[in-house]
Amino acid sequence: MEAASSTGLLAGFFAFLSLIILRPVAVRVRLLDNPDHRKLHRGAVPLIGGLSAFVGLGLAWLLWMPVIDSYGLFLLCAALLVVVGAVDDAKDLPAKFRLGVQVVLGAVLTFGSGVSLSTFGDLFGFGEVSLGAFGPWVTIAAVIGATNAFNMIDGIDGLAGSLSLVVLVSLTILFMGDSRFSTELTLAFGIACALVPYLMANLRIPPFKCRIFMGDAGSMFIGFAVVWLLVNATQPGQMAMRPVTALWIIAIPLMDMVAIMVRRARKGQSVMKPDREHLHHIFMRAGFSDREALVLITLVALLFAGVGLAGEFFEVPEWAMFTAFVGVFALYDWALSHVWRLLVVFRRKVSQQ
C-alpha cells in the first residue's frame, strides 16, 4: 500500500504540473478542440487532460516502481497510443488508422506480455467458459472495445473523468484485499490520482479557471489501462475478481458503446461514425444541464459498480450476475430509444417543485 500511496501522490502532483506546462504548448501546436455542429462548447479548449494524466503516471512510475516485465511493455504501448491519440486530437486521423494502431498495440501487449484472457468464468451455470487458443484474440478485441468505449463516452464536461474514477476506485478496492496485486493496485490508484487535476480543470474547480478537455489521447489511454488491469485481475491462478464482475464495473461505458454501435448498424451507418445519440445527449435533449446529466450518469455508474462489488464480496453465483447484467443491458438499450420522453416529464415535474 505504501508504494501505491507514494506513486499516487506523485502522479497527482506531476499531472498538476503537466497541466500548467502543457497548456501554452497546446495553444502553440494547435492541440485544441474547436466547436462545430456536434461540439457546442465556447472557444478553443486545450486537449491535454489525458496527456497530463499519462505524464503524471509515467513520471511517478519511473521514480517509484520498477519498469520490468509486462508493465514496462504496457507503459511503452500506452505511450505510443497516447502519442497517436494526441496526433489525432491535433490532425483528426482517419478512424481506420486509429483502429489499426489499437489492434497492433493490443497484439503487441497481449503476445509480448503473455498475459491474456483464458476464461469468462461460469456465465451460464454449466461450468467454466474456457477460451483456449482464442484467448489472446479475445483479449485484443477487449482492448479495442474498452479503448473505444471510454473514447465514445467522452461527451460532456467531467463524464469521462468521473466514469474512469468509478472504475479505477472499484479496482483499487478489489486489489487492496489481496497482496498479490500490489502492482495492479499501484497502477489503478496512480491513474486515479493522475486524473484528479484534469477533472478539476475540466469542471473548473479552483484553482483552475479555464477548461481542459481529456482528448482522444486520454480516453484511449484510460480504456487501454482499464482493460489491462481487468485482464490481470480476472484470470485463474491469480484472481482478484471473477470475469462477470468486470462487466458491472465498466457497465456504463460498455453498454453505451455496444448499444450505440448496434443502432448505427441497424441504420446502415458506420459503427465508428460520431453522432449525438449517446446517453448524455439524451439527458440533455430532455432538458437536463451538463452538470445534472453528469451527476445522474455517475450515480448510475456507481450503482452498477456497487452491484458488481457486492456480488463479488458475497459470492453471488456468476450465472446470476451475468443474467442480471444482460437484463439491465436489454433495459438500457430500450431506454436509450424511449426513455427521453419520460425524462422530459420527470424534468418538468422537478422544475415545478
Side-chain angles (χ1 to χ4, degrees):
M1 189 62 193
E2 180 183 355
S5 300
S6 300
T7 302
L9 290 174
L10 283 173
F13 174 70
F14 288 137
F16 177 82
L17 291 181
S18 297
L19 283 177
I20 299 173
I21 296 171
L22 289 174
R23 185 179 180 85
V25 176
V27 174
R28 180 172 298 180
V29 301
R30 307 303 298 172
L31 187 57
L32 305 169
D33 193 20
N34 296 294
D36 57 24
H37 66 286
R38 290 192 306 108
K39 304 171 183 178
L40 305 181
H41 59 270
R42 296 181 180 178
V45 180
L47 292 162
I48 58 173
L51 281 173
S52 71
F54 178 76
V55 170
L57 172 72
L59 291 176
W61 195 275
L62 290 173
L63 288 174
W64 196 262
M65 298 292 293
V67 184
I68 57 173
D69 301 331
S70 59
Y71 282 88
L73 182 60
F74 163 76
L75 288 174
L76 175 60
C77 291
L80 294 174
L81 188 64
V82 168
V83 170
V84 172
V87 174
D88 180 46
D89 287 329
K91 303 295 184 181
D92 196 17
L93 298 172
K96 290 183 178 179
F97 178 80
R98 296 198 308 269
L99 181 61
V101 170
Q102 293 167 18
V103 171
V104 171
L105 292 178
V108 169
L109 181 59
T110 300
F111 290 107
S113 68
V115 178
S116 64
L117 292 166
S118 61
T119 177
F120 282 151
D122 184 13
L123 295 183
F124 306 106
F126 303 114
E128 185 176 278
V129 180
S130 179
L131 298 175
F134 294 101
W137 306 104
V138 174
T139 303
I140 295 170
V143 169
I144 297 168
T147 301
N148 285 286
F150 281 89
N151 182 254
M152 288 182 174
I153 204 70
D154 186 18
I156 58 175
D157 287 349
L159 186 57
S162 296
L163 296 184
S164 299
L165 285 180
V166 169
V167 175
L168 292 166
V169 170
S170 299
L171 288 171
T172 297
I173 293 172
L174 287 165
F175 292 143
M176 285 176 64
D178 193 331
S179 60
R180 295 175 301 172
F181 290 91
S182 58
T183 306
E184 288 80 5
L185 169 63
T186 300
L187 182 60
F189 187 67
I191 298 174
C193 291
L195 281 174
V196 171
Y198 150 72
L199 190 58
M200 293 176 64
N202 189 225
L203 296 175
R204 285 175 286 189
I205 297 173
F208 298 99
K209 297 180 180 180
C210 299
R211 277 194 299 182
I212 298 293
F213 285 170
M214 179 176 282
D216 287 348
S219 57
M220 290 196 297
F221 165 58
I222 295 301
F224 193 74
V226 164
V227 75
W228 171 248
L229 287 167
L230 292 176
V231 169
N232 278 274
T234 57
Q235 296 313 294
Q238 187 169 324
M239 182 181 291
M241 65 180 176
R242 300 169 301 176
V244 70
T245 304
L247 297 177
W248 288 95
I249 289 176
I250 61 169
I252 290 295
L254 178 63
M255 290 193 293
D256 188 67
M257 179 191 70
V258 174
I260 201 75
M261 292 177 75
V262 168
R263 288 202 303 278
R264 289 172 185 171
R266 288 172 181 168
K267 296 177 183 179
Q269 301 174 342
S270 168
V271 295
M272 302 300 291
K273 179 182 178 181
D275 57 29
R276 294 183 61 80
E277 298 296 327
H278 291 279
L279 180 62
H280 50 276
H281 293 132
I282 293 174
F283 272 94
M284 293 169 66
R285 284 208 304 272
F288 289 87
S289 67
D290 287 9
R291 196 61 58 92
E292 290 169 337
L294 168 64
V295 171
L296 288 172
I297 295 172
T298 303
L299 287 175
V300 174
L302 282 169
L303 174 63
F304 287 160
V307 170
L309 292 177
E312 185 68 32
F313 293 144
F314 291 105
E315 299 183 352
V316 177
E318 293 173 81
W319 65 266
M321 295 295 292
F322 181 66
T323 301
F325 182 83
V326 172
V328 170
F329 174 73
L331 179 62
Y332 180 93
D333 187 42
W334 176 88
L336 283 184
S337 301
H338 300 86
V339 81
W340 69 272
R341 297 182 181 89
L342 299 177
L343 288 173
V344 171
V345 175
F346 172 75
R347 178 62 178 168
R348 288 174 179 172
K349 290 183 178 180
V350 171
S351 299
Q352 291 172 359
Q353 293 178 353

